[in-house]
Amino acid sequence: MTINDFDRWAQSIMPIAQFKKTDASLNGLQVGKMDQKLERISFALDACAASIAQAAAQKADMLFVHHGLFWGPAVPIEGILYAQIQQLIQHNIALYAVHLPLDAVPEFGNNACVTKILNLQNCEVFADIGFVGDLPSAMSTQEIAQKIFAPHQPLIWDNCPSVKRVAVMVGGGARFAQKAAAAKADCYITGEPLHQVFHFCQESSLSFIAGGHYYSEMIGLQSFKEQVEQKFPTVQTHWIDIPTGV
């Protein structure tokens, strides 16, 4: 198996091409050679010196991440970026990144995984990459947070005593709180909080759960790792856990 084989499969199950113009991330192979043999893949949320070092220790051929090294317009490859790429090349590790397509994919993506944990019904697309749906039975905001993020402690604004309808957009989706309210959600689940939406949520009786950018997005990444293991059983996989506290 080669990286090219992996790339063709990944492109077929995630909407990578669909987000080419709208995602600032360079989705797909960021560093490496398509004809490189692929026997070991390490998974981490972020491409950084620490995750690259752990991938090297795991003798990985590829480091698969949600947050890659390239965002938006081209920048000079110098300083920290130069050191990161040099580290990858020295250890012959390819870097493959998938950002918004991994958030959006309905079968195993970050947002879809949360809807499955809550068993949301009648799900609809929310703000392009999120989902909104109905709980089978009403729950408290605390119960929802516990079900998704335990043992971690998310930030909770408990503004609705009985939640029935939930909107989900993990990571940095706090700015879409108004769209969650417009979608008739009683509770909005994301990663990071945003000061500017606190009063809106309170005055709209919209409960708000921020599970952390890291912990809210590693859910889908771990789900994708399982997809890889099922599709390519001979490939060895490793998980790299580097929480940021954010």
Side-chain angles (χ1 to χ4, degrees):
M1 174 181 173
T2 66
I3 290 174
N4 188 49
D5 297 324
F6 176 90
D7 178 64
R8 285 202 305 266
W9 172 74
Q11 297 269 358
S12 72
I13 66 168
M14 289 184 285
I16 292 175
Q18 176 183 327
F19 285 92
K20 190 171 183 179
K21 293 183 178 180
T22 57
D23 191 351
S25 175
L26 179 61
N27 290 301
L29 185 66
Q30 294 194 341
V31 179
K33 299 177 292 184
M34 280 293 187
D35 61 354
Q36 181 176 334
K37 195 172 182 179
L38 185 57
E39 296 178 342
R40 298 181 184 88
I41 305 176
S42 294
F43 293 83
L45 192 71
D46 306 304
C48 59
S51 62
I52 296 169
Q54 288 195 39
Q58 295 167 350
K59 301 187 183 304
D61 302 306
M62 174 193 285
L63 175 60
F64 184 99
V65 299
H66 185 48
H67 302 132
L69 296 179
F70 300 101
W71 302 88
V75 296
I77 298 176
E78 52 86 27
I80 290 174
L81 180 59
Y82 179 91
Q84 292 168 331
I85 294 174
Q86 183 181 48
Q87 195 178 3
L88 288 164
I89 294 172
Q90 282 179 341
H91 294 285
N92 198 29
I93 301 171
L95 178 65
Y96 199 104
V98 181
H99 185 227
L100 292 186
L102 184 58
D103 290 324
V105 65
E107 291 79 18
F108 53 81
N110 283 320
N111 296 312
C113 283
V114 175
T115 70
K116 290 176 182 178
I117 292 170
L118 296 175
N119 193 25
L120 294 187
Q121 310 294 309
N122 307 313
C123 285
E124 301 172 357
V125 175
F126 157 73
D128 295 329
I129 63 171
F131 295 96
V132 59
D134 303 313
L135 290 165
S137 57
M139 299 174 66
S140 71
T141 307
Q142 295 284 346
E143 288 171 333
I144 292 170
Q146 177 77 10
K147 192 173 181 66
I148 300 167
F149 295 111
H152 311 293
Q153 298 297 320
L155 180 146
I156 299 172
W157 300 336
D158 192 355
N159 298 321
C160 181
S162 180
V163 174
K164 181 65 177 175
R165 188 163 172 82
V166 179
V168 181
M169 188 185 293
V170 299
R175 65 188 185 278
F176 294 105
Q178 291 185 350
K179 287 192 175 183
K184 308 296 183 184
D186 304 311
C187 178
Y188 183 40
I189 300 168
T190 188
E192 296 181 46
L194 188 63
H195 174 84
Q196 289 90 328
V197 303
F198 174 85
H199 295 292
F200 171 82
C201 291
Q202 191 174 57
E203 293 165 20
S204 301
S205 299
L206 177 67
S207 281
F208 182 98
I209 301 172
H213 203 126
Y214 184 86
Y215 289 119
S216 70
E217 290 194 329
M218 76 174 192
I219 298 172
L221 185 61
Q222 288 176 326
S223 178
F224 177 71
K225 177 174 173 287
E226 294 172 1
Q227 296 288 321
V228 172
E229 291 164 349
Q230 292 171 15
K231 179 66 177 180
F232 306 107
T234 61
V235 173
Q236 296 181 31
T237 61
H238 302 276
W239 178 255
I240 297 172
D241 191 23
I242 308 176
T244 62
V246 178

